[in-house]
Structure formats: structure tokens, C-alpha cells
Amino acid sequence: MRMMLKAAVIVGGGVFGVLAIASDGVAQDPGVQSLRGPVGIEDTAPAEDLKQQNVDARFQRAYRQQPPLIPHKIDNYQINLKVNQCLRCHDWPYNAQEGAPKVSETHYHDRNGVALDKVSRARWFCTQCHVPQERARALVGNTFHSAFDTK
């Protein structure tokens, strides 16, 4: 048992030593070049512009029964088994005070169709269906047309 412990310490120390030597060699090797080019570590580059969400107007739905898009930022919103921050503004009676759309009546029914006083746990995680709206170019080409455009 003692021999195995000594062997493990020796092998571990050897591996650590090889890694330390290799990292020193790479850092000082003048032939290695950064993917960013000849920019020193102490140099800073400006951050890219963040994409901002369109909060000026709500987007139209693209098809019947589409879950509404979220027209505001939801960064750092807490939604877990105990807390759903969306309901602070969108659940009755807070929606009237906040001027926010009320959660659909369908969210107050359980899977068996029984009406509930609170939002059903089956509809608890809002971001499974609702996503923040964003004016972004399509990632892949498509020929989709909104149901409202095909009249």
C-alpha cells in the first residue's frame, strides 16, 4: 500500500513537472503566434456591440396559436420549482397594477381540464414556449410566410 502511494506521488509530480516545462516553453517560444495576430496580452480590444432587443413594438404572430413573444428583456429572471418571476407582473391581479397582459386562461387548467386558482404547474416554465423577440437574420434560408401574409 505504501509503495503504491509513493509511486502515485512520483508519477503525479512527474506529470506536473512535464506540464510546467511544456507551458513555459510554449509561452516563451517566439515561433508561436496568436490567432489574433501580434496583439500583446496587455492590449485590449473593444467589445463587440451587443444585440439589443426590439422593445418599441410587439411582433405580430406568424401563425394561429403561436405563443406570444416576450417584448422585453428577461435576463436574470428567476424561474425554478419555487419561483416564477414572470407571474409577478402577468398573473392576476398584478397584471392590472403593472399594465401587463394577463396569463391566458388556458394556463389555469391542469392536464385533465380542471380549473385551478393558480397557474398550472404544467404551464409553470414560461420560456419553454415563450421567447424574447429579436430582429435577427435567419440562420438558414427558408420560404416561410406568415399566415397573415398568405391572404
Side-chain angles (χ1 to χ4, degrees):
M1 178 76 166
R2 214 173 209 181
M3 286 294 279
M4 289 177 62
L5 183 60
K6 284 183 183 179
V9 168
I10 291 170
V11 170
V15 168
F16 180 74
V18 168
L19 289 174
I21 291 169
S23 67
D24 281 349
V26 169
Q28 296 175 359
D29 184 3
V32 177
Q33 191 175 24
S34 167
L35 294 175
R36 296 189 313 162
V39 177
I41 293 176
E42 59 279 340
D43 294 342
T44 58
E48 292 183 24
D49 290 337
L50 294 175
K51 293 184 178 180
Q52 298 294 318
Q53 294 178 345
N54 177 8
V55 292
D56 295 337
R58 290 192 175 145
F59 288 9
Q60 289 283 354
R61 296 185 196 196
Y63 57 91
R64 193 172 155 269
Q65 299 298 327
Q66 175 189 355
L69 297 174
I70 303 170
H72 57 80
K73 293 184 181 207
I74 60 169
D75 300 346
N76 302 320
Y77 270 39
Q78 186 177 8
I79 302 174
N80 59 36
L81 291 174
K82 295 180 181 179
V83 177
N84 182 330
Q85 204 166 349
C86 301
L87 297 179
R88 173 59 192 97
C89 293
H90 294 282
D91 196 8
W92 181 87
Y94 307 114
N95 69 306
Q97 298 166 3
E98 299 292 333
K102 186 174 131 336
V103 174
S104 169
E105 286 298 319
T106 60
H107 290 49
Y108 293 93
H109 291 84
D110 68 7
R111 292 184 175 146
N112 299 320
V114 177
L116 305 170
D117 290 335
K118 301 249 180 215
V119 170
S120 169
R121 289 299 181 161
R123 305 288 188 119
W124 186 254
F125 295 98
C126 306
T127 54
Q128 283 184 316
C129 299
H130 304 277
V131 296
Q133 64 187 24
E134 177 67 50
R135 286 215 189 276
R137 66 176 179 82
L139 297 176
V140 295
N142 67 67
T143 58
F144 177 81
H145 295 284
S146 168
F148 300 103
D149 296 338
T150 58
K151 293 181 180 179

